[in-house]
Amino acid sequence: MNSLFSPENLPPPPGIPIPASIAAATATTSASPAPTITPKLEPFDGWFNTHTSQEQQQSQDPNFSNGSLDLDLNLLCDGTSEDPNLFSEFNRISQLFCTAFSANDPQNDAVPDPITEGLQQLRNDAFSDPFAENPQHFQNGVVSGTGLQQTPKGTSPDPDSRAIVPVPEEERSSSMTASTTPRRRCKELVRVADLGAPEQRHFRDVVRRTRKVYDALRVLATVEDERRVDSRRGRSDLRASAVMRSCGLWLNRDKRIVGSIPGVCVGDVFLYRMELCVVGLHGHPQAGIDYLPGSMSSNGEPIATSVIVSGGYEDDVDEGDVITYSGHGGQDKHSRQVCHQKLEGGNLAMERSKHYGIEVRVIRGVRYEGAASATGKLYVYDGLYTIIDCWFDVGKSGFGVFKYKLCRIDGQAKMGSMIMKEAHMLKKDPLSIKPMCCVSLDISNRVENVGVRLFNDLDRNFDPLRYEYLVKTNFPQMVFHQSGRGTGCDCVDGCVEGCFCAMKNGGEFPYNQSGVLLRGKPLVFECGPFCHCPPHCRNRVTQKGIKNRLEVFRSRETGWGVRSLDLIQAGGFICEYTGVVLTRDQAEILSMNGDSLIYPNRFTARWAEWGDLSMIDSNYVRPSYPSIPPLDFALDVSRMRNVACYVSHSSTPNVLVQFVLYDHNNLMFPHLMLFAMENIPPMRELSLDYGVPDEFSGKLSISN
């Protein structure tokens, strides 16, 4: 995989700076209809330090044109630029906007004033419907040329007014033939709605596969950084997204989707901003407002599609279902408001979305302990909001700020950020929410590193308390006797490249320094009792026990289920699937009594999906070393079990089974270790593919 991240295979990075001379020239040139746009910058994890001429060409991409950390906001906003009319132009537009939204002010109705009437006329020219005077463009509530539906003024709202329709090709061609200006590259605004269950599963599977590839590339990039002899380390998230972009694996790039993104669910968690770009949830890697610019719109008007709320602006007010969102621009590199904002770019796009009644996606940047990014944040998709009001106001710093009131649309799933807050409260105080439903704070009786909570708010079933908790699998003594003489590494301060244990794993370690599984394998060898390396060795991950706060809960759909109060990152270790090991003869005798057994050889090989880079590399070969013989034993969990026995069955699981050996060398009796196949948000149910579910309930009877 080293070649995937080589410089010749990486496209130039987005977010390049715009030189001051070019910015000033762009602002003063009358021939260019599009003004220089300063994005709403959000706290970011840093960016590339090198800039080339190819990067300047890439900046023409509207999805990356405003992603630079080095934009000189003072040059554009404080009136000190080479063009003395720039600041006066800002004042003129600001006054127009302020006048436009103060029409209901009683003071305006007192005495007619020539100046007020002149501003009102300018307001009508600037904010009136561009198609109101052209009836031929307006038929049956459809505005041709915009891709939007709108209700005519003075009529009742059309129930389908929020629909987005494609622009007829003949109208586009006729309008272009009548104009002498060059044809612009346009993107079509679409809304995906009324999907059936098969379509929803399809799109969800596409998004999950794409995110698996992204996570696998990102984890492999961290290993390359660990091997660097110098202190310079690249951004693994940027490198992974660049490789996927060069391979054409970014989703939803040909069209701009308004509303929900197919396959992305409310509550999905993203560790990096670039991952939002990869799935098409938010197109700008840094700007807080994502929009279709007027230069690519069929009617020249920008439309906002999504916003990120992360507390980067002091005038933002986040009340959950209602958000007062401040516009972009006017901040210095320390996120301080230093000049007035302008009605352009994302600010104008938000106003236009409010005008047309277009909803926006809201992603919240949440500070999270243990987050992978340098800012300590992760990003949660919280659903769709409508912009119900917008106005120009004086911010806390004394400068003019555009503000927008967003209200969450009813009928959506619970906000993921709210679920994360509740999970955080439960970690601090397990009895803070529904204390009467908390049956036990720790069903493991303190044998696990962290307590395993038992929660039931449906009935009085307390079956998990009837079993003895088994923290590790109970192997028969003959397994250790038949494993031969134990061998291990001679490493003193942790395993190093080329040691004996690395050779057993095919010449590379199965985990990175953070304990994340790099790729699934038929079998993983961890350091064991015969190794000289210390307990903190990077090759001792699963034998250290669970580290996430797991909870067994009662579910209407699955009987019993398991979820975590912590975020489980993709490739992270969860727990071992424990039980009492039985040979084939013992299992046949026990199964005659009707007891349920777990057969490891029936688990589907989901381990092959984690780290699968066949979409990136056509020569990718599924790992086949180390190989193991067919497993011929069963796990009896009828009396002794652990939390893993309550994980539900699913044909699209988020957890995989990885076979691991560490305390013996018998290949026929490995440990069953569970790893996350994707980023699993707090309070989301864990699921496994058991291979052969019960024919009546659709899952193993052991979990009912």
Side-chain angles (χ1 to χ4, degrees):
M1 286 306 303
N2 294 341
S3 59
L4 293 178
F5 299 102
S6 57
E8 58 270 15
N9 288 339
L10 296 181
I16 61 171
I18 301 176
S21 59
I22 298 179
T26 305
T28 59
T29 303
S30 59
S32 177
T36 301
I37 299 173
T38 305
K40 176 171 182 180
L41 303 181
E42 297 289 339
F44 198 44
D45 307 346
W47 201 250
F48 288 103
N49 296 323
T50 58
H51 312 292
T52 63
S53 59
Q54 291 181 343
E55 294 171 342
Q56 294 180 358
Q57 295 177 2
Q58 177 127 0
S59 67
Q60 298 175 1
D61 189 336
N63 291 325
F64 296 93
S65 59
N66 303 311
S68 173
L69 288 174
D70 301 326
L71 281 175
D72 193 346
L73 299 179
N74 296 326
L75 176 64
L76 298 179
C77 303
D78 63 0
T80 60
S81 65
E82 299 177 1
D83 185 5
N85 298 324
L86 183 60
F87 188 62
S88 60
E89 179 67 12
F90 157 74
N91 286 330
R92 187 185 71 83
I93 297 179
S94 298
Q95 290 176 4
L96 290 178
F97 190 91
C98 194
T99 305
F101 295 100
S102 61
N104 297 328
D105 191 348
Q107 296 180 1
N108 293 343
D109 301 331
V111 180
D113 180 73
I115 298 178
T116 304
E117 293 179 354
L119 289 176
Q120 182 67 20
Q121 181 62 36
L122 291 175
R123 180 189 69 82
N124 294 334
D125 296 339
F127 293 96
S128 61
D129 185 357
F131 300 96
E133 299 179 359
N134 297 282
Q136 66 273 17
H137 292 286
F138 193 90
Q139 298 178 357
N140 300 326
V142 178
V143 182
S144 62
T146 63
L148 304 175
Q149 277 192 356
Q150 179 183 351
T151 302
K153 296 179 181 180
T155 60
S156 58
D158 187 351
D160 296 328
S161 60
R162 291 173 55 249
I164 294 179
V165 296
V167 181
E169 190 65 30
E170 57 272 11
E171 294 187 11
R172 293 186 186 178
S173 58
S174 61
S175 62
M176 294 309 299
T177 55
S179 175
T180 58
T181 58
R183 180 166 183 171
R184 298 173 301 180
R185 184 167 60 95
C186 296
K187 282 191 176 183
E188 183 181 1
L189 283 172
V190 297
R191 178 184 286 111
V192 182
D194 300 329
L195 294 177
E199 291 82 5
Q200 292 178 359
R201 288 193 297 267
H202 167 73
F203 286 117
R204 183 63 173 171
D205 185 58
V206 170
V207 170
R208 294 179 69 182
R209 287 201 313 266
T210 303
R211 297 188 66 184
K212 287 177 189 176
V213 175
Y214 175 83
D215 286 323
L217 286 171
R218 180 180 54 81
V219 172
L220 290 177
T222 62
V223 176
E224 291 190 0
D225 290 338
E226 293 170 358
R227 294 172 179 171
R228 287 180 177 268
V229 294
D230 54 6
S231 59
R232 295 181 302 172
R233 291 191 176 184
R235 287 281 304 277
S236 59
D237 58 316
L238 298 180
R239 297 165 68 187
S241 62
V243 171
M244 296 191 66
R245 188 182 184 200
S246 65
C247 296
L249 296 180
W250 282 29
L251 302 179
N252 306 312
R253 297 283 292 171
D254 55 338
K255 300 179 183 296
R256 278 300 183 95
I257 297 180
V258 170
S260 301
I261 299 294
V264 178
C265 299
V266 174
D268 282 352
V269 173
F270 303 84
L271 303 185
Y272 297 92
R273 287 281 293 264
M274 289 306 302
E275 192 176 4
L276 301 175
C277 300
V278 170
V279 300
L281 190 62
H282 190 81
H284 283 276
Q286 183 185 359
I289 303 176
D290 185 23
Y291 62 96
L292 179 69
S295 61
M296 299 185 67
S297 176
S298 58
N299 75 321
E301 290 189 311
I303 296 296
T305 55
S306 62
V307 297
I308 293 182
V309 182
S310 59
Y313 276 56
E314 60 185 8
D315 295 297
D316 288 352
V317 179
D318 188 357
E319 299 177 351
D321 290 338
V322 179
I323 303 172
T324 301
Y325 190 78
S326 58
H328 68 197
Q331 282 194 335
D332 59 10
K333 61 182 180 179
H334 301 293
S335 299
R336 295 176 301 192
Q337 199 74 30
V338 295
C339 63
H340 303 297
Q341 294 181 351
K342 299 181 180 181
L343 184 60
E344 61 183 18
N347 294 340
L348 181 59
M350 292 286 285
E351 188 275 329
R352 291 287 84 190
S353 291
K354 184 260 179 186
H355 174 75
Y356 287 115
I358 302 299
E359 71 274 24
V360 294
R361 299 182 293 271
V362 170
I363 302 105
R364 280 185 169 88
V366 181
R367 293 196 177 276
Y368 190 82
E369 182 180 358
S373 63
T375 59
K377 288 184 179 181
L378 48 81
Y379 300 90
V380 188
Y381 174 52
D382 274 344
L384 302 178
Y385 285 66
T386 55
I387 308 173
I388 64 174
D389 196 8
C390 53
W391 66 98
F392 188 81
D393 198 2
V394 178
K396 295 181 180 180
S397 299
F399 296 97
V401 177
F402 294 105
K403 294 185 178 180
Y404 309 88
K405 186 175 182 180
L406 282 64
C407 289
R408 194 168 191 261
I409 299 176
D410 295 333
Q412 302 181 84
K414 191 174 183 179
M415 290 187 297
S417 58
M418 184 63 65
I419 296 176
M420 294 187 67
K421 290 181 180 179
E422 294 178 356
H424 181 70
M425 293 173 58
L426 288 174
K427 288 191 295 183
K428 298 177 63 175
D429 182 7
L431 300 178
S432 59
I433 301 177
K434 295 183 179 181
M436 299 301 295
C437 300
C438 183
V439 180
S440 174
L441 295 177
D442 186 10
I443 63 175
S444 72
N445 295 320
R446 299 183 179 180
V447 297
E448 293 282 13
N449 299 329
V450 292
V452 180
R453 193 167 177 254
L454 180 62
F455 184 82
N456 186 351
D457 59 350
L458 297 181
D459 52 35
R460 305 297 296 175
N461 189 329
F462 308 140
D463 282 348
L465 296 177
R466 298 169 45 199
Y467 302 94
E468 180 181 352
Y469 196 92
L470 187 63
V471 66
K472 292 184 178 181
T473 299
N474 190 346
F475 291 99
Q477 287 299 319
M478 63 93 174
V479 173
F480 299 92
H481 296 324
Q482 295 180 3
S483 60
R485 183 178 179 181
T487 55
C489 64
D490 296 327
C491 302
V492 177
D493 190 21
C495 286
V496 295
E497 297 288 342
C499 74
F500 178 78
C501 292
M503 295 298 101
K504 289 171 63 177
N505 286 287
E508 60 181 7
F509 290 110
Y511 315 108
N512 65 4
Q513 295 288 1
S514 301
V516 175
L517 184 67
L518 300 182
R519 60 169 62 90
K521 293 185 175 182
L523 181 65
V524 166
F525 288 97
E526 289 191 1
C527 296
F530 303 103
C531 297
H532 293 81
C533 56
H536 66 265
C537 175
R538 63 180 296 181
N539 199 32
R540 297 178 182 268
V541 174
T542 62
Q543 55 193 273
K544 297 178 182 179
I546 65 175
K547 59 180 180 180
N548 298 304
R549 296 171 178 84
L550 301 179
E551 176 184 85
V552 179
F553 70 100
R554 191 68 170 162
S555 171
R556 288 188 175 92
E557 293 80 13
T558 59
W560 290 103
V562 179
R563 57 196 178 193
S564 173
L565 302 182
D566 298 299
L567 168 70
I568 305 178
Q569 297 187 18
F573 172 66
I574 301 176
C575 65
E576 180 179 359
Y577 203 118
T578 67
V580 178
V581 173
L582 301 179
T583 62
R584 173 188 289 185
D585 296 337
Q586 293 172 331
E588 290 179 354
I589 295 175
L590 189 59
S591 61
M592 294 174 61
N593 298 326
D595 291 344
S596 297
L597 299 176
I598 302 298
Y599 296 92
N601 62 343
R602 293 183 180 178
F603 283 108
T604 54
R606 295 287 180 175
W607 57 264
E609 299 180 12
W610 174 242
D612 183 3
L613 299 181
S614 56
M615 298 175 64
I616 299 292
D617 185 4
S618 58
N619 297 323
Y620 176 81
V621 179
R622 172 175 169 175
S624 58
Y625 180 88
S627 61
I628 58 175
L631 303 181
D632 197 18
F633 70 94
L635 288 179
D636 177 20
V637 294
S638 60
R639 297 182 180 181
M640 305 173 68
R641 58 176 64 173
N642 74 335
V643 60
C645 297
Y646 301 100
V647 177
S648 302
H649 168 79
S650 174
S651 58
T652 56
N654 52 18
V655 176
L656 62 89
V657 177
Q658 174 65 66
F659 298 135
V660 177
L661 284 180
Y662 66 88
D663 52 353
H664 62 80
N665 295 324
N666 197 322
L667 300 179
M668 299 182 63
F669 294 91
H671 293 266
L672 279 62
M673 302 298 185
L674 306 187
F675 287 84
M677 297 179 65
E678 59 190 44
N679 296 320
I680 305 177
M683 309 304 289
R684 180 168 292 183
E685 186 173 358
L686 309 183
S687 58
L688 272 172
D689 189 351
Y690 285 88
V692 183
D694 183 83
E695 59 180 341
F696 298 105
S697 64
K699 59 176 290 186
L700 292 187
S701 58
I702 186 64
S703 300
N704 287 333

